């Protein structure tokens, strides 16, 4: 089971978040409110990583070997270089011994991304918790409680070929900031979402 919570599982982007709050469904699991949006997705097509477009680091008319050789050229006029000066010629990083799998003139980015079934954000309003240390603590506890229970939600989403964007929002400050109290509240949130999906 995957208990990781990388950045790809974080909900971000102003347009995405604005659309979620305008068009999303809502549910309440006091003291948490959830705004969520479900969308269909075919996981059979997203099992492999999405490739990031290649990046041309050289103009199309100049290949990598040409560019590297241009960097290593020594001026033909000997008066421009003192006789006692030694020149260090850089190695060509695109030679077969260094980058045998990279085609000429193109570098493939090593960054890749996968389609995440869930993207989530946690909101602790300043009007309920005036001090940043309390807001940050609450969000850390929420993230940890979610991280350890996310697999049950992910399994249901994959089974139904769905993905979800959601915001989990604190709606009251009359609550003890302890992990023992927050964990069952997160369980209630996840169970309610699963119930809505199955119905």
């Amino acid at each position: 089971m995957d208990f990781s919570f990388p950045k790809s599982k974080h909900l971000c982007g102003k347009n995405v978040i604005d659309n979620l709050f305008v068009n999303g469904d809502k549910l309440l699991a006091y003291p948490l409110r959830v705004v969520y949006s479900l969308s269909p997705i075919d996981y059979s097509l997203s099992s492999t990583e999405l490739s990031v477009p290649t990046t041309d680091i050289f103009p199309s008319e100049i290949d990598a070997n040409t560019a590297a050789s241009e960097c290593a050229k020594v001026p033909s006029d000997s008066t421009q270089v003192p006789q006692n000066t030694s020149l260090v010629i850089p190695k060509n990083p695109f030679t077969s011994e260094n980058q045998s799998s990279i085609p000429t003139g193109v570098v493939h980015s090593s960054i890749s991304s996968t389609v995440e079934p869930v993207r989530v954000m946690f909101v602790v309003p300043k009007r309920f918790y005036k001090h940043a240390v309390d807001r940050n603590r609450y969000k850390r506890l929420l993230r940890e409680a979610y991280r350890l229970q996310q697999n049950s939600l992910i399994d249901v989403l994959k089974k139904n070929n769905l993905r979800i964007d959601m915001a989990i929002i604190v709606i009251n400050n009359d609550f003890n900031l302890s992990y023992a109290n927050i964990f069952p509240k997160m369980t209630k949130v996840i169970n309610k979402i699963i119930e809505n999906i199955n119905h």
Side-chain angles (χ1 to χ4, degrees), residues 57-160:
I57 62 172
F58 299 109
S60 57
E61 66 273 9
I62 303 177
D63 63 23
N65 293 322
T66 303
S69 63
E70 289 295 326
C71 295
K73 278 187 177 179
V74 178
S76 58
D77 187 355
S78 60
T79 60
Q80 295 181 14
V81 181
Q83 293 182 354
N84 295 330
T85 302
S86 60
L87 296 177
V88 178
I89 300 176
K91 292 182 179 180
N92 181 359
F94 297 96
T95 56
S96 58
E97 61 183 8
N98 294 326
Q99 301 286 343
S100 58
S101 61
I102 299 179
T104 301
V106 175
V107 172
H108 287 269
S109 171
S110 60
I111 301 172
S112 60
S113 59
T114 56
V115 175
E116 296 291 354
V118 184
R119 294 187 301 175
V120 60
M121 65 180 293
F122 303 95
V123 182
V124 181
K126 190 174 182 179
R127 65 191 176 112
F128 294 141
Y129 292 91
K130 304 298 183 185
H131 301 291
V133 63
D134 292 330
R135 296 194 299 273
N136 292 336
R137 172 177 166 75
Y138 210 149
K139 284 188 280 190
R140 284 197 302 270
L141 293 174
L142 287 170
R143 277 195 298 267
E144 183 65 6
Y146 168 78
R147 182 184 69 83
L148 295 176
Q149 303 181 76
Q150 63 181 331
N151 287 297
S152 58
L153 176 59
I154 291 173
D155 290 343
V156 172
L157 289 166
K158 288 185 174 181
K159 180 180 178 181
N160 291 277

Side-chain angles (χ1 to χ4, degrees), residues 24-42:
D25 298 316
K26 299 175 179 64
L27 64 84
L28 180 65
Y30 187 85
L32 303 175
R33 175 182 288 127
V34 182
V35 181
Y36 67 97
S37 176
L38 292 165
S39 56
I41 185 170
D42 189 351

